[in-house]
């Protein structure tokens, strides 16, 4: 038994982190002086620094915190004073040595997490919200087949929400939100078949192995490992305080917000919410047992919230990008035009979208008509499947994409559709422009 060099409390010989204050322990031969000497030592302490970022910047007080919402690098920033206390968050690690003979290797933590990723990844949901202000790509996870737990800043004031797991996409509606806790619960329009997570009610310990699943930086589903590095942290983001958070050194980035922080038994210990931008490996998650009681209340009595209303809703930037190979410059130029069109629609910039049309199509479709028809539309997963050249200056491009829109704006009132279109494109003034869009093989769309 020894003493923490930071807080002076008794610690175990095998502790990696102090379970009282969360500071990493530097083991050395026991001091004959005792705890008072340890309390005065110059051991590791938490660092604070200052910095600036261009979006949603709050009052400069202390260390930088970034809410990790957007998968496209857009960050919500606040600079805040940290006050560290000690409140349990959620479940401890349940890893146990194997009961096999000594000659058999003990399963590694990484191996256990690999199995969890394979089993549970289907229940981690990509959340794309279209809102009247800044929109984000974030993460959620299933707590029921039709209920997605996430954080409020990912789905704040949405016009519509896309929920995706693999190739399965639907829309959802918020049935409960609390900015003070930064929690939200979304009901999917139809159930998912993926893994359903359980929220732990047991406290973690500093040093527990944990992992995060989510969609950082607009990437596909991503898995990172780390440890619990502190308990009951308090931060301020956009002027609002969040308390009782678990601190983790697991890598989290914009797009990770709302993702599950799990232990090696697969229990959710928290919901990823924020990180410090000036330092490596300092992230925060909302307490799982607090979230569980809130979600339970919303599940029983939650009322669908009406969609936000605005003339030019905005979707997450970059979702309309069209991947292509650079082997054919003409196809790359067509992809550039299609990406400019879809990204402009997503951003509510209908003039730029209209400028991707040929003069003939601009005569048929005005900017006002385009704005009216696509006012709430958000297109993503845009793919070119085939290009048929009809000469040097004309081509038919087979394109698929997914769109979501507010009720009443989609075909037959649908909120989510898979589109299969043939775009006729013409080379005019050195640019490939959209001249017409029609059905591919007789079909334009099917509901999600």
């Amino acid at each position: 038994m020894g003493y923490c060099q930071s807080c002076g409390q008794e610690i175990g010989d095998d502790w990696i982190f102090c379970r009282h204050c969360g500071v990493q322990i530097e083991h050395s031969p026991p001091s004959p002086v005792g705890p008072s000497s340890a309390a005065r030592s110059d051991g590791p302490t938490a660092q604070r620094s200052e910095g600036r970022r261009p979006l949603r910047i709050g009052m400069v007080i202390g260390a930088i915190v970034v809410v990790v919402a957007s998968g496209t690098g857009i960050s919500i920033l606040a600079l805040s004073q940290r006050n560290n206390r000690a409140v349990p968050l959620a479940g401890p690690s349940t890893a146990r040595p194997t009961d096999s003979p000594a000659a058999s290797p003990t399963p590694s933590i990484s191996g256990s997490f690999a199995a969890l990723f394979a089993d549970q990844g289907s229940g981690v949901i990509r959340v794309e919200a279209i809102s009247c202000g800044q929109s984000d790509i974030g993460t959620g996870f299933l707590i029921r087949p039709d209920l997605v737990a996430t954080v409020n800043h990912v789905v704040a004031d949405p016009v519509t929400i896309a929920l995706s797991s693999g190739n399965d996409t639907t829309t959802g509606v918020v049935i409960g939100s609390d900015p003070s806790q930064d929690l939200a619960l979304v009901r999917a329009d139809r159930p998912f078949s993926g893994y359903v997570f359980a929220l732990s009610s047991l406290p973690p310990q500093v040093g527990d192995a944990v992992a995060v699943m989510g969609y950082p930086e607009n990437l596909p589903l991503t898995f990172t490992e780390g440890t619990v590095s502190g308990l009951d942290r308090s931060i301020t983001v956009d002027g609002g305080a969040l308390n009782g958070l678990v601190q983790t050194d697991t890598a989290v980035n914009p797009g990770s917000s709302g993702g599950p922080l799990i232990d090696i038994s697969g229990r959710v210990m928290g919901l990823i919410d924020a990180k410090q931008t000036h330092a490596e490996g300092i992230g925060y998650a909302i307490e799982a047992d607090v979230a569980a009681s809130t979600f339970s209340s919303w599940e029983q009595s939650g009322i669908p919230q009406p969609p936000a209303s605005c003339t030019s809703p905005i979707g997450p930037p970059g979702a309309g990008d069209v991947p292509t190979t650079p082997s054919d410059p003409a196809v790359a130029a067509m992809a550039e035009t299609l990406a400019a069109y879809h990204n402009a629609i997503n951003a509510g910039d209908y003039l730029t979208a209209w400028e991707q049309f040929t003069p003939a199509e601009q005569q048929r479709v005005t900017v006002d008509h385009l704005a009216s028809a696509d006012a709430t539309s958000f297109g993503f997963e845009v793919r070119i499947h085939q290009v048929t050249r009809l000469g040097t200056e004309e081509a038919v491009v087979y394109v698929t994409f997914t769109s979501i829109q507010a009720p009443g704006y989609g075909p037959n009132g649908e909120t989510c559709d898979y589109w299969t279109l043939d775009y006729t494109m013409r080379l005019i003034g050195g640019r490939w422009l959209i001249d017409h869009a029609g059905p591919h093989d007789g079909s334009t769309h099917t509901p999600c």
Side-chain angles (χ1 to χ4, degrees), residues 83 85 232-235 241-245 287:
N83 297 307
R85 299 179 294 114
D232 193 26
R233 301 310 199 218
S234 296
I235 63 175
L242 292 173
N243 302 309
L245 303 180
E287 186 175 346

Side-chain angles (χ1 to χ4, degrees), residues 253-342:
N253 288 285
S256 299
S257 273
L261 178 74
I262 61 172
D263 66 10
I264 60 174
S265 69
R267 295 173 299 181
V268 176
M269 300 171 67
L271 290 82
I272 294 300
D273 190 65
K275 68 176 292 186
Q276 290 191 24
T277 59
H278 77 290
E280 295 295 330
I282 303 179
Y284 302 97
I286 298 170
E287 186 175 346
D289 58 354
V290 172
S293 62
T294 301
F295 291 148
S296 178
S297 173
W298 288 334
E299 182 181 358
Q300 298 300 320
S301 60
I303 300 174
Q305 298 180 4
S309 177
C310 50
T311 57
S312 299
I314 298 173
D321 289 347
V322 184
T324 186
T325 58
S327 57
D328 188 334
V331 174
M334 296 173 198
E336 183 179 351
T337 294
L338 291 168
Y341 173 76
H342 284 281

Side-chain angles (χ1 to χ4, degrees), residues 3-8 11 15-27 41-47 84 206-207 228-231 233 247:
Y3 299 93
C4 175
Q5 295 175 325
S6 177
C7 67
I11 59 175
W15 289 13
I16 299 174
F17 295 88
C18 176
R19 298 178 183 178
H20 306 287
C21 68
V23 169
Q24 186 172 359
I25 296 168
E26 294 184 355
H27 288 284
S41 109
D42 295 325
T45 57
Q47 287 186 324
N84 296 330
V206 173
V228 173
S229 55
L231 301 175
R233 301 310 199 218
Q247 180 180 310

